[in-house]
C-alpha cells in the first residue's frame, strides 16, 4: 500500500481516474454474477413451470447484464490506463531530471545498464499494477462475496459449498506463491541479470 500511495503522488491530477476505474470494476463484477442467477431462474421457468414467456424475458435480462458487464469493464480499463500512462510518464520524467543534476561520480559508481533499467523498465512495470492489478483486485475481492450471496438465494447448501470452495481456493493460492524470501531473491537476480546484460552488450 505504501508503494501504491507513492505512485499516486506522481500523478495527483489524474488520481480521480483511478478511483472511477475501481468503482466501475465493482459495478462490472456485480453485472458478471447476475447472469448466473437469472440463468438459474430461466431454467426453473422452462423446466419446472414450463413458462416460455418469462423465459424469454429472463434471457433478455441475461444478455443485457452481459453487455453491461463488458461495457463497464472496458470503461474501467480505459480510466485505469489513462491514470497508469500518466504515472509512468511522470516517473520517467522525474528520473531523467534527477540524472541531469547528478554528478560524474554517480555515473562512475552506478552502471549505465542498471540506471536505464531502474528508470525505464521499472517505470514501465508500474503500468500493470495501476492499469490492471487494481481493477482486478476489486473484482477478485467482490466476486466471491457476490457469488456466495447469489448462491444462498438459490439454495442454502449451494451457498455453503461456495463458501468451502472459496476458502479452499484462497488456501491454494497462498500456497502457490510459496516462500516470499525466495521470490525476493528471484526478483533481485532478474534485476542484476538485466543490468549485467545491458552492460555486456554495450
Amino acid at each position: 500500500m505504501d508503494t501504491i500511495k507513492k505512485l499516486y503522488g506522481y500523478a495527483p491530477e489524474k488520481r480521480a481516474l483511478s478511483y472511477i476505474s475501481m468503482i466501475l470494476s465493482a459495478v462490472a463484477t456485480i453485472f458478471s454474477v447476475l447472469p448466473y442467477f437469472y440463468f438459474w431462474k430461466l431454467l426453473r421457468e422452462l423446466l419446472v413451470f414450463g413458462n416460455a414467456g418469462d423465459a424469454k424475458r429472463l434471457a433478455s435480462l441475461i444478455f443485457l447484464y452481459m453487455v453491461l458487464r463488458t461495457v463497464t469493464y472496458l470503461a474501467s480499463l480505459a480510466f485505469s490506463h489513462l491514470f497508469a500512462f500518466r504515472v509512468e510518464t511522470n516517473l520517467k520524467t522525474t528520473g531523467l531530471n534527477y540524472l541531469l543534476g547528478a554528478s560524474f561520480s554517480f555515473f562512475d559508481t552506478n552502471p549505465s545498464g542498471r540506471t536505464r533499467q531502474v528508470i525505464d523498465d521499472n517505470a514501465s512495470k508500474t503500468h500493470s499494477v495501476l492499469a490492471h492489478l487494481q481493477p482486478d483486485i476489486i473484482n477478485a475481492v467482490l466476486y466471491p462475496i457476490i457469488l456466495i450471496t447469489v448462491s444462498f438465494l438459490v439454495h442454502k447448501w449451494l451457498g455453503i459449498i461456495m463458501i468451502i470452495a472459496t476458502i479452499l481456493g484462497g488456501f491454494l493460492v497462498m500456497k502457490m506463491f510459496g516462500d516470499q524470501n525466495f521470490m525476493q531473491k528471484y526478483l533481485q537476480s532478474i534485476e542484476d541479470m538485466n543490468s549485467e546484460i545491458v552492460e555486456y552488450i554495450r
Side-chain angles (χ1 to χ4, degrees), residues 33-49:
V33 176
L34 287 177
Y36 296 109
F37 177 68
Y38 284 106
F39 183 66
W40 165 73
K41 295 188 74 172
L42 183 148
L43 291 178
R44 188 179 64 170
E45 291 295 327
L46 280 177
L47 302 178
V48 178
F49 302 114

Side-chain angles (χ1 to χ4, degrees), residues 106-116 195-196 199 202:
F106 173 84
F107 296 99
D108 291 335
T109 56
N110 293 276
S112 60
R114 179 175 174 79
T115 304
R116 182 206 63 80
S195 175
E196 294 299 328
E199 285 297 310
R202 288 184 176 179

Side-chain angles (χ1 to χ4, degrees), residues 88-107:
E88 185 179 342
T89 301
N90 290 350
L91 273 171
K92 291 181 179 181
T93 302
T94 302
L96 291 174
N97 287 334
Y98 274 116
L99 281 182
L100 291 174
S103 62
F104 288 112
S105 62
F106 173 84
F107 296 99

